[in-house]
Amino acid sequence: MNNAIAGFSKLSKDEKIDWIANEYFADPAEATALIKKYWNSDQKLQQLHDEFIENTITNFYIPLGIAPNFLINGKYKTIPMAIEESSVVAAAAKSAKFWSTRGGFKATVLNTEKIGQVHFIYKGDVSRLEHFFAQTKATFFSTTEAITKNMQKRGGGILDIELRDKTELMANYFQLHVTFETKDSMGANFINSCLEQFSKTLKEEALAFELFSDEEKQIEVVMSILSNYVPNCLVRVEVSCPVEALAEKHIEYPSEFAEKFVRAVRIAEVEPYRAVTHNKGVMNGIDAVVLATGNDFRAIEAGIHAYASKSGQYSSLSHAKIENGIFSFWMEIPLALGTVGGLTSLHPLVKLSMEMLEKPSAKELMEIVAVAGLAQNFAALRSLTTTGIQEGHMKMHLNNIMNQYQATTEERVLIKQFFKTNSIAHSTVVGFIEDLRK
Ligand code: MEV
């Protein structure tokens, strides 16, 4: 079998499905039927989704759940979460409820600066390059006016352009390091368009700069692209309450719980193996809301993990302390999010999520997403330091096992009843189902 194909993108959707079904599947008719089963019967809606990417053959479902009772800066929110992992939404909702009776979440956007860079090679005298940059800086602004006009009307635009000498890292390597304010848009297109114009201006103006030698005039732009590392696009979120107020089911001894919790956070602060898993728990909340609101979760992931390494060692995103009898748990994370443009105005479920969140500004969405992350982290640490994580996890996993074995309604009732009082493990559930069916 030859699995390579030329001109695939030019085939129609049906032809693509025919090819893939015949090329890779033992039963092509069955594969085709499954692919088509996931098509939306509303053809216009299906076409909209088909056109988000190239070579679409079908839709890939991920559940959209909601976590209510989030008290954020004194206002209740219900948070939409798109995620496949059992127990994440349940954990978020549990945390939300817990903190709603203890003052809620306080969230504040600290700053909103985005970054883009033109990476270039200049072979010559550095002071002459600096002179050139000082003389050309205004031209970088003026030649991007057509791109920045609308953004400026919305209060955003280019904040500053710096020349950065990176020759200590690599021979002849320099940058235009540019900061932007993009208001309610994530700004990737705006930033990249500005950068590509800077790149043109840089090359043209260098060619015309009389003080440059012939070699110095030949600036080579390697690439122009935004950075997903946004350490000055930060949001801070915090929960706090008197230690005694932490008392609840499974938290009979609140001061012991608080101390153990702080210690668990400390371990993630000092130990990278634990920090990665700890932060993964934070990202369970963050990614789910980022996805539900049509933002780029890969960009968010990359930026946040880089931020977690800013000291030179990968560390916990969240922090906790007990001071004067008050337990506090907080984090600061970078989040470059948008509530206009991109998928936000195209994907019907993204629009639904935005309306559910009462049409937030980008800053408000930063607060909501950070809250979901901290809530998730709280839920994970609370379980880990009390009952252990498996209890809640396996409860949710029970559903997956029942679905895997296509349990009937009657079987489900019996299974749930039995595992209310018996501990859940994959093998015991399967054994129980098999016994029922004997
Ligand atoms: C599982 O998705 C996330 C946790 O592992 C996070 C943590 O360990 O803190 C439970």
Side-chain angles (χ1 to χ4, degrees), residues 14 24 32 35 64 101 109 117 164 168 203 209 233 259 323 400 413 424:
D14 278 325
Y24 288 98
T32 304
I35 288 169
L64 177 68
T101 55
V109 171
Q117 298 167 316
R164 290 196 173 175
E168 273 186 16
K203 286 187 287 190
F209 190 60
C233 186
E259 271 164 35
E323 222 169 65
N400 291 343
V413 172
I424 303 163

Side-chain angles (χ1 to χ4, degrees), residues 36-51:
K36 295 192 176 178
K37 192 173 170 178
Y38 280 81
W39 284 4
N40 200 292
S41 55
D42 177 339
Q43 283 186 15
K44 262 195 166 163
L45 186 64
Q46 186 54 55
Q47 194 186 344
L48 177 76
H49 285 270
D50 285 355
E51 289 174 2

Side-chain angles (χ1 to χ4, degrees), residues 28-193:
E30 188 185 53
T32 304
L34 182 64
I35 288 169
K36 295 192 176 178
K37 192 173 170 178
Y38 280 81
W39 284 4
N40 200 292
S41 55
D42 177 339
Q43 283 186 15
K44 262 195 166 163
L45 186 64
Q46 186 54 55
Q47 194 186 344
L48 177 76
H49 285 270
D50 285 355
E51 289 174 2
F52 284 156
I53 61 164
E54 306 78 29
N55 298 344
T56 308
I57 55 168
T58 191
N59 308 303
F60 189 93
Y61 289 175
I62 286 185
L64 177 68
I66 54 169
N69 298 321
F70 270 99
L71 184 61
I72 306 174
N73 297 337
K75 271 187 80 182
Y76 276 102
K77 296 270 174 204
T78 297
I79 300 188
M81 302 178 86
I83 187 154
E84 86 301 343
E85 185 176 332
S86 319
S87 80
V88 167
V89 177
K94 200 171 159 190
S95 257
K97 203 156 177 216
F98 181 91
W99 284 106
S100 70
T101 55
R102 292 163 177 84
F105 294 82
K106 310 264 181 306
T108 325
V109 171
L110 302 178
N111 39 41
T112 56
E113 184 184 283
K114 315 272 171 66
I115 289 166
Q117 298 167 316
V118 177
H119 305 268
F120 67 94
I121 301 295
Y122 164 82
K123 293 179 186 158
D125 182 76
V126 177
S127 61
R128 262 202 299 279
L129 180 65
E130 283 164 351
H131 184 127
F132 161 76
F133 176 70
Q135 207 159 302
T136 319
K137 191 167 172 177
T139 314
F140 287 117
F141 282 95
S142 61
T143 51
T144 42
E145 262 165 15
I147 309 168
T148 56
K149 212 166 73 194
N150 277 340
M151 188 59 86
Q152 271 167 355
K153 273 191 208 145
R154 285 156 47 199
I158 301 161
L159 300 178
D160 195 16
I161 311 171
E162 281 172 58
L163 172 69
R164 290 196 173 175
D165 181 342
K166 295 283 169 181
T167 51
E168 273 186 16
L169 304 176
M170 193 174 116
N172 309 316
Y173 171 32
F174 293 84
Q175 295 173 343
L176 293 181
H177 183 94
V178 191
T179 45
F180 298 89
E181 168 57 56
T182 62
K183 302 309 275 185
D184 284 334
S185 67
M186 190 268 186
N189 280 334
F190 168 73
I191 293 173
N192 289 333
S193 299

Side-chain angles (χ1 to χ4, degrees), residues 98-99 102 238-246 254-255 257-263 265 319-330 378 381:
F98 181 91
W99 284 106
R102 292 163 177 84
E238 176 171 351
V239 284
S240 70
C241 70
V243 169
E244 291 312 312
L246 290 166
S255 71
F257 166 76
E259 271 164 35
K260 204 167 168 192
F261 190 102
V262 170
R263 205 166 289 142
V265 175
H319 309 282
K321 68 176 181 193
I322 303 164
E323 222 169 65
N324 304 322
I326 304 290
F327 167 82
S328 317
F329 179 46
W330 73 97
F378 179 79
L381 291 178

Side-chain angles (χ1 to χ4, degrees), residues 85 88 274 277-282 284 377 380-381 384 389 393:
E85 185 176 332
V88 167
R274 175 56 204 152
T277 319
H278 176 99
N279 291 347
K280 189 272 182 189
V282 174
N284 276 345
N377 191 211
L381 291 178
L384 287 168
I389 204 77
H393 229 77

